[in-house]
Amino acid sequence: GLLYTVAADAGNLVHGYRGLLSLAQLGFWGTGAYGAALNVIRFGGDFWAGLALAGLVPAALAAVIGLPTLRTRRHAFVIVTLTFALLADLVARNWVGLTRGALGIPGLPAPVFFGFSLHTPARFYYIAYAYALLALGFLHLLGTSRIGQVLKAIKQNEPLTQSQGISPLPYKLAAFVIGAAITGVAGGIFVFYLKIVDPTILDFYYMQTFLIIVIIGGAGSFWGVVAAGLVMVALPEALRFSDDL
């Protein structure tokens, strides 16, 4: 739940502060997950280096995608970001030599922190909790900084912002890349909690969850999204007694 909230707030950086609905968050979540897992299983790295890769790969993809995409209008932007999420799913399912396709990559080892194995859910919680504090703290500072204020100004009136000598594209691209990196690391942590990564990590259930949290919390509202994330974690658990609910 903490990781869902982080991913939702990272998406809020683009949707809430810039006014663009990005469905690429799902692709960044998935590529970060695969990047972290492959670093450990295929390339012999450790969990912590895998998290670095989980942030770098989505950030690089966001930079490549964002340069042309952020110049489009809102509807085109949604379609292009949706296409990226669908392509990420196709790659995960069909590049069998790398991802093992539908079989996935099981047996992800428990992280080790200064010789202390974090192999139980209770211990793993502290990784998610620490990352959530760091990521949400950074997003809060960014939102209240000059960059965040400029993004809000661009959302409200882009021509007026340009008339003040501000070029919108670098700010929009920075928000897109930062959101991608934060979401990717969250995805990387999540699959090590599951101990397996497969194409279901790119299921639209996750994208729906991120969007619902942002919509309930209020696009552009940092604390609203955080509160909505906590509610959307607790509510399904409270209603678990009923399949219908």
Side-chain angles (χ1 to χ4, degrees), residues 95-121:
W95 194 353
V96 179
L98 181 68
T99 67
R100 287 172 41 94
L103 295 176
I105 304 173
L108 300 181
V112 177
F113 185 68
F114 288 107
F116 188 69
S117 178
L118 305 173
H119 61 279
T120 65

Side-chain angles (χ1 to χ4, degrees), residues 59-220:
L61 290 171
V64 172
I65 297 166
L67 278 172
T69 306
L70 288 166
R71 300 175 188 272
T72 61
R73 295 183 180 274
R74 291 186 177 184
H75 295 88
F77 181 82
V78 174
I79 292 170
V80 174
T81 56
L82 171 61
T83 302
F84 168 70
L86 295 174
L87 285 173
D89 181 67
L90 285 174
V91 170
R93 293 181 185 280
N94 295 297
W95 194 353
V96 179
L98 181 68
T99 67
R100 287 172 41 94
L103 295 176
I105 304 173
L108 300 181
V112 177
F113 185 68
F114 288 107
F116 188 69
S117 178
L118 305 173
H119 61 279
T120 65
R123 292 179 180 180
F124 203 93
Y125 164 80
Y126 290 104
I127 297 178
Y129 184 69
Y131 179 65
L133 286 179
L134 289 172
L136 292 174
F138 173 77
L139 288 170
H140 179 63
L141 289 174
L142 187 65
T144 55
S145 70
R146 180 179 180 275
I147 295 175
Q149 299 307 309
V150 171
L151 287 171
K152 289 180 181 178
I154 293 171
K155 176 184 176 181
Q156 292 170 2
N157 194 325
E158 187 167 329
L160 180 60
T161 306
Q162 289 176 306
S163 72
Q164 301 301 309
I166 296 173
S167 177
L169 184 60
Y171 287 91
K172 292 190 286 186
L173 184 61
F176 197 54
V177 171
I178 291 170
I182 291 173
T183 302
V185 175
I189 295 173
F190 185 69
V191 292
F192 273 85
Y193 170 74
L194 299 177
K195 301 188 185 305
I196 182 173
V197 61
D198 60 29
T200 60
I201 195 65
L202 287 154
D203 191 284
F204 263 78
Y205 161 79
Y206 296 107
M207 190 68 244
Q208 291 167 5
T209 303
F210 303 156
L211 286 177
I212 288 170
I213 291 173
V214 172
I215 290 168
I216 292 176

Side-chain angles (χ1 to χ4, degrees), residues 6-53:
V6 168
D9 225 334
N12 189 40
L13 189 62
V14 177
H15 180 41
Y17 288 87
R18 176 58 196 94
L20 293 173
L21 177 59
S22 172
L23 301 180
Q25 286 298 106
L26 178 62
F28 299 143
W29 169 266
T31 52
Y34 270 100
L38 288 170
N39 178 73
V40 173
I41 300 299
R42 294 294 179 90
F43 308 136
D46 64 9
F47 170 76
W48 306 105
L51 292 189
L53 193 64

